[in-house]
Every structure is written in structure tokens, then in C-alpha cells.
Amino acid sequence: NLSRTATSDQFFSMWGLLFASLISSYSGTDLHNHQARFSPDSPSYVGCYYSDVVENHREYYTIETPLPWNESVAFCNHRLVKYMALKEDESATHFKFAFCGNSIPQDSRKADSSLCHPCQDNKTNNCGGFGTLSVYQLREETPLQLFMASDKGIEIYSSEEESITSVQYGESTYAVDYLYSQDTVFAATYNTILRTEYNNFFLKFNTLKKVYYHYGKIHDLSVDWKDKEIYWLPLEKYYTSASCYKYDLGFTHREWLHLPSGHVQLRLDPFVRKIFAIKEDALVSYSLETEYYMVFENL
């Protein structure tokens, strides 16, 4: 392993570049500047687009199960995104496939409005057609959503609704992270890792379930939502051979990361493939690709 110490100026410069790269990875070009106010429960129709609006891009959420109109709207609203695109299921026209995202890619192609047909279960709205999608705008901005560990399970805060919902467990959780691509939350109690998935039909998260038990305290966990893996820190009093574990989401395959001891908090950046942690009041980073270890001082 390589080790290096960086100054605070170097750290903030690097973090600024990292932040900029993350923003550019998520952001897209918004082709529409609507002046009207939007209602998440009553989407505003943007237009008819060829289906390559989603086929050639990966920055969207979808679900393999076709849904009726109301559930399609609810599905994208749960994701707190700006746009919803619908394409009817050719085998069951009362259902459609929903795609949810925060931007309309710049190279998207608009189609003639006649190529997007009225929804079978809601004739006042369009639901795409053969090779086309009907695109709607749900809101002007993407609201903030926070997942928080609590003394009774998990709490979820939405800035749009200005409310907190709970996923009860009956035991304190100490860490929580969100797997975006699968709409799944992982949390850790003193010695157990829990998991819950969002139920698109009941419009809420399912009951928290135990997926892994550890003989000792779990300090923190972080989910790699790009490679579908989970990292967590054990209490090193009992496990001195490894200071960080990596598991697949089924908890069938384990790897040890031999970092220097003493880390108490953990976060992973899936894009730059680095772990960030706190060690003795200092921020450290560890590259998963090169095993390059860096300590940031004077923060």
C-alpha cells in the first residue's frame, strides 16, 4: 500500500475537482424552460419523443413491471425526479413502462405528436406508442431526500413534503445508506445489517429485515450503488486482521481491505472508486483500484 500526506489546500482543490466531476456526471441539458408551476400529482405534458431518449442514456430509473397511469406517476414521484416518460406495454395496453429522470438529454429527438397515443386507462393523457415515449414534467426542481439512522429504525425526510416518514424496527440503527438503482436501503444496528426495499404497489418501504449478523460492533457502512457491493467497518478490538469488509449484496462473497486501523466513519464514491473515512480527526482516502492511501491534515 502507498501512503501520502496532503495539505488542506491540496485537499480542497482535489475535493473541488471531485465535486465538479460528480455534478457533471449527474447533470444533463434541460431542453425545456416552462414558466408554469408544476404539480407532482398532475404532470405537465412536455411532448412526444423517440424512445432513444432513454435507450441511449443510463441516467434514469425504471421498473421492469408495467404499471397503470396512477402508479406510474407515483413511482416517479417517489424517486423525486423532474421528468417522467411513459411507453405502453404492447401486450397489455392498460399498462405502461415508466422511466424517471432529472433531465432530457440534449440529443433526444422529438417525434410527431400523432405517434404518441392516448392512454387506455386515462384518455386525457398520452402514453407513447411504437418506438415513442410521452414525456411529462413533474416538478421544477429536484427536492432533497435524507435517510437517517434513528433509535427506532430509519427516518426519511423529504424537503418537498416537509415531513418525516419512518421505517420501524424497534432497535437503534447507527448507520444507513441508499442503493439508488434498486431503491433499497441498508442500515446497521450494533451487530446486524438490515435491508428494506421500496414497494411500488403499497407506495412505502417494506419491513426492515436482517441480512447479516456480525459478532461484534459495526461502526459504519456504505453502499457501492455502481458495482452493487456493500462496505462496512467492524470493531477492530475483535478483528485486527482487517479494518474494512466488502460483501456482495447477497452476502455470499467477502473480501477484506487491509487499511490502517482506527477508522470510525466510512463513505464510498462509486465513480472515482475511492473510500473516504475518518481516522483520528483526519479525513483519509483509499483507492480501490491502486490501494493508494492518503491522509488529509490540517482540516
Side-chain angles (χ1 to χ4, degrees):
N1 294 354
L2 299 176
S3 179
R4 178 184 171 188
T5 300
T7 65
S8 59
D9 289 338
Q10 289 173 316
F11 164 70
F12 285 115
S13 175
M14 292 174 59
W15 189 255
L17 291 174
L18 171 60
F19 182 76
S21 67
L22 289 175
I23 293 298
S24 63
S25 297
Y26 282 104
S27 62
T29 301
D30 187 353
L31 302 183
H32 304 274
N33 183 18
H34 300 282
Q35 299 299 321
R37 295 181 63 85
F38 300 96
S39 169
D41 297 323
S42 182
S44 176
Y45 189 56
V46 175
C48 184
Y49 284 79
Y50 288 105
S51 56
D52 56 11
V53 68
V54 294
E55 290 173 353
N56 296 337
H57 302 274
R58 295 298 179 186
E59 295 179 6
Y60 64 86
Y61 301 107
T62 189
I63 184 173
E64 296 181 358
T65 305
L67 304 171
W69 167 266
N70 289 339
E71 291 183 11
S72 298
V73 175
F75 171 69
C76 287
N77 271 326
H78 164 67
R79 292 293 192 167
L80 298 178
V81 297
K82 291 177 62 177
Y83 295 100
M84 172 184 72
L86 299 180
K87 178 178 175 57
E88 282 198 343
D89 181 6
E90 297 175 6
S91 61
T93 55
H94 281 73
F95 295 88
K96 63 277 305 166
F97 292 100
F99 302 87
C100 320
N102 282 320
S103 65
I104 300 176
Q106 191 170 13
D107 57 349
S108 300
R109 298 182 299 146
K110 291 203 72 171
D112 188 274
S113 60
S114 63
L115 297 179
C116 286
H117 309 140
C119 305
Q120 293 297 315
D121 60 338
N122 191 323
K123 297 290 186 179
T124 60
N125 293 293
N126 290 330
C127 284
F130 182 75
T132 60
L133 295 167
S134 294
V135 179
Y136 295 84
Q137 185 161 354
L138 300 169
R139 49 180 57 84
E140 295 184 47
E141 300 294 338
T142 303
L144 174 68
Q145 187 176 44
L146 298 176
F147 293 84
M148 301 173 288
S150 74
D151 58 353
K152 295 181 180 180
I154 299 173
E155 292 186 340
I156 306 169
Y157 169 77
S158 169
S159 63
E160 184 172 68
E161 299 177 357
E162 296 185 346
S163 63
I164 295 178
T165 58
S166 299
V167 184
Q168 298 290 328
Y169 183 68
E171 187 176 340
S172 295
T173 56
Y174 298 95
V176 61
D177 205 0
Y178 182 46
L179 179 60
Y180 300 86
S181 58
Q182 297 184 11
D183 212 357
T184 299
V185 179
F186 287 89
T189 64
Y190 183 86
N191 55 10
T192 303
I193 295 179
L194 311 171
R195 176 175 180 162
T196 177
E197 299 85 14
Y198 188 76
N199 190 314
N200 292 293
F201 299 100
F202 293 100
L203 304 180
K204 65 178 183 179
F205 280 96
N206 294 322
T207 303
L208 283 162
K209 296 181 179 179
K210 296 180 181 180
V211 292
Y212 184 79
Y213 179 82
H214 176 63
Y215 293 97
K217 182 179 179 181
I218 298 173
H219 276 306
D220 202 358
L221 61 80
S222 185
V223 175
D224 180 354
W225 41 265
K226 182 174 179 290
D227 286 355
K228 311 298 188 298
E229 295 170 330
I230 185 168
Y231 294 75
W232 56 277
L233 295 174
L235 181 63
E236 294 167 356
K237 176 181 178 181
Y238 302 103
Y239 290 84
T240 57
S241 60
S243 61
C244 183
Y245 288 99
K246 179 179 76 171
Y247 275 81
D248 63 288
L249 296 185
F251 289 88
T252 59
H253 178 71
R254 180 180 70 180
E255 292 184 25
W256 292 352
L257 302 182
H258 296 277
L259 280 68
S261 62
H263 301 97
V264 294
Q265 290 183 321
L266 174 75
R267 278 298 174 266
L268 182 138
D269 188 317
F271 289 107
V272 299
R273 310 306 303 158
K274 287 184 178 181
I275 289 175
F276 293 89
I278 300 296
K279 174 181 169 62
E280 298 175 353
D281 298 326
L283 179 67
V284 302
S285 71
Y286 174 82
S287 171
L288 298 173
E289 296 177 345
T290 65
E291 298 185 351
Y292 194 86
Y293 187 81
M294 180 181 290
V295 179
F296 301 101
E297 291 184 338
N298 303 321
L299 297 181

